[in-house]
Amino acid sequence: MPRTITIAGNWKMNKTATEAAELAKGIVQNVGRQTEVSVVVCPPFTALQTVAGEIANSSVRLGAQNVSDKPSGAYTGEVSVAMLRDLHVTHVILGHSERREYYGETDAIVNRKTLVALENALIPIVCVGETLAQREAGEEFAVIGRQIRDGLAGISPAQFEKVIIAYEPVWAIGTGKTATPAQAQDVHAFIRKELAALQGAEQARKTRILYGGSMKPDNAAALLSEADIDGGLIGGAALKVADFTALVEAGRAAAASKA
Ligand code: PEP
């Protein structure tokens, strides 16, 4: 069974609920019926409910960009898994480099959030990736290996079936610089090897590993044709209906050629 190509849009801190409804409507219109590619949109918390309404009865799924590692209580400003589930959220992005860099998220925090998500039937999209300085120092594999081992510790084999990984080289996020398909494939193959060491080769073979970092309509086909690249986590290009549609179409073409 080939892995299902997944195209996930990370809208970051963009779009009011009103604007988000427009974007979701356009995405549903263009790709909300197809089922070859798993399409996920991740608006800000404030737009989840509105977008849930727009994508109801379509094949588009709803993701959040973060979740608390606590179940409920006196944690001002936090959002729990139960709150997300209640809004029909199915996926959650965890350990994005912006959360690691600006909000001090460590691998231990990413691990706690990943476990909480899995215990509550949310699919975690766990982000890993090296900075430019780390790549220039030749440390990318050491850094990513540690993020994988520490971020994914203690997950049962049954839970692991749900995990999605996103490789996002920090130097390629929002910069217009994309890893070459060969650079990305090298890291994806390495990640699959690390997953095999953690969970066995069979499970590693089934796990989706997305690429993120300035993926755009004009470079998606080449990236998605690589053997270990199973989709994309998209920032900037997820904010325009036409671009996001083109990325899903590139995903459908890749799915057909990998079938
Ligand atoms: C992201 O932040 O997840 C991302 C990949 O952003 P961009 O596509 O804008 O580089």
Side-chain angles (χ1 to χ4, degrees), residues 3 164-167 187-189 191-192 195 204 207-211 228-232:
R3 296 176 290 271
I164 299 175
I165 310 292
Y167 167 53
V187 177
H188 281 232
I191 291 172
R192 208 173 295 290
L195 297 178
T207 306
R208 280 171 283 175
I209 307 174
L210 316 184
Y211 169 79
D228 288 292
I229 300 184
D230 308 316

Side-chain angles (χ1 to χ4, degrees), residues 12 34 58 120:
K12 309 194 185 191
Q34 66 77 42
S58 83
N120 291 276

